[in-house]
Amino acid sequence: MALSQALFDAIVDGKAQLAQSLVEEELEAGADPLALVSATMIPAMDEVGKLFHEEEYFVPELLLSARAMKAAMTPLRPLLAAKGAKPAGVVVAGAVKGDLHDIGKNLVTSMLEGAGFQVIDLGADVTPESFVAAIREHRPQIVCLSALLTVTMESMRTTIAAIKAADLRREVKVLVGGAPLSERYATEIGADGYGATASDAVALARRCVGLSN
Ligand code: B12
């Protein structure tokens, strides 16, 4: 699908209401929900990141764009979730301690729900102790950790260590993702899988519960 320039601009300019109504219009015109996210909305957030990096944007602009992205996701979330089939497994997900970036994690959880997983979303800035408590309570097969900052990648290692110390490591598969991560880092911290996109998260999760992709 081609980029929708108006939607792209609305997210980059931080216009939440406009972004949401443009998504609604695109959907009415028959746009594919996933294509809207991957061809326009994620590239728009990448552009925001670039502007921030170049010091044209500062935190207030980031926040406005993040708000626009969230508003744009509102009509899409139920559609992404409706795409899936049978219940496939239980997932506990969260952005790790110190990390407030939750847009990518929200996309991962929506897609997992769409693929039939029951997702317990712990939100952002989740401590290792909260992950451990949620594993004890919900007994998931999979734990998804998300990090967007190089400084919070270390929280993933600490979280995996805490799961191990609580003697729960053998019960769950740990999947990690987020822009600064790599396959190599995932292996180094003892994760079971790394995914670069929300679609990868679904493919990995399906594999973890023995479903073919
Ligand atoms: C929006 C944003 C914010 C918003 C977040 C709002 C929110 N509710 O999420 C706000 C304003 C709060 C913010 C704050 C900060 N930010 Co910021 N932010 C961004 C920005 C522009 C976009 C992130 C985003 O949403 N991307 C879109 C989503 C869809 O992509 P994603 O998160 O990568 O997720 C995808 C994949 O990674 C993957 N995935 C994600 N999680 C998982 C998990 C699993 C298991 C799997 C398999 C896959 C997976 O799937 C997703 C979908 O495909 C990025 C730049 C960028 N282009 O990434 C900077 C960026 C991440 N921020 C940055 C910085 C520096 C900060 C601040 C420190 C700024 C400051 N000085 O205060 C603070 C830190 C706050 C904190 N403690 O977390 C830097 C990080 C640099 C670094 N290497 O550490 C970046 C890269 C900007 C830059 N170019 O410098 N930020």
Side-chain angles (χ1 to χ4, degrees):
M1 185 187 164
L3 177 137
S4 158
Q5 190 64 47
L7 175 58
F8 181 92
D9 291 344
I11 293 173
V12 173
D13 296 342
K15 295 181 176 154
Q17 231 173 356
L18 178 63
Q20 181 166 343
S21 46
L22 286 168
V23 167
E24 284 160 357
E25 278 171 32
E26 291 277 357
L27 290 173
E28 267 167 41
D32 175 60
L34 193 52
L36 272 181
V37 172
S38 51
T40 298
M41 293 163 59
I42 292 180
M45 289 311 288
D46 285 342
E47 176 65 15
V48 172
K50 194 171 137 253
L51 292 168
F52 179 71
H53 197 66
E54 290 165 355
E55 298 188 353
E56 274 199 46
Y57 269 19
F58 296 93
V59 172
E61 286 87 0
L62 280 196
L63 278 172
L64 285 175
S65 291
R67 209 184 54 164
M69 177 78 172
K70 281 194 171 174
M73 278 301 292
T74 311
L76 290 169
R77 207 165 291 122
L79 299 175
L80 292 174
K83 277 199 144 189
K86 310 162 209 135
V90 179
V91 179
V92 160
V96 292
K97 186 176 176 209
D99 210 310
L100 299 176
H101 297 86
D102 65 357
I103 294 172
K105 184 268 299 164
N106 292 345
L107 213 46
V108 167
T109 56
S110 296
M111 295 273 295
L112 285 170
E113 282 171 354
F117 286 88
Q118 182 199 341
V119 181
I120 290 96
D121 187 344
L122 303 179
D125 191 14
V126 182
T127 61
E129 297 74 29
S130 301
F131 275 108
V132 167
I135 296 168
R136 285 217 172 95
E137 185 182 345
H138 301 285
R139 297 286 164 193
Q141 291 87 14
I142 300 163
V143 176
C144 283
L145 307 179
S146 181
L148 260 280
L149 298 171
T150 36
V151 287
T152 56
M153 286 163 65
E154 239 354 77
S155 293
M156 290 184 154
R157 192 195 298 273
T158 328
T159 303
I160 293 174
I163 296 171
K164 206 168 171 182
D167 209 15
L168 294 166
R169 185 65 187 91
R170 266 167 300 160
E171 289 186 26
V172 292
K173 297 282 183 201
V174 180
L175 304 180
V176 295
L181 295 206
S182 63
E183 190 88 56
R184 195 168 148 191
Y185 186 74
T187 309
E188 188 196 312
I189 62 173
D192 297 296
Y194 157 76
T197 66
S199 308
D200 290 347
V202 171
L204 287 166
R206 283 177 60 82
R207 218 171 301 148
C208 288
V209 295
L211 294 168
S212 57
N213 286 300

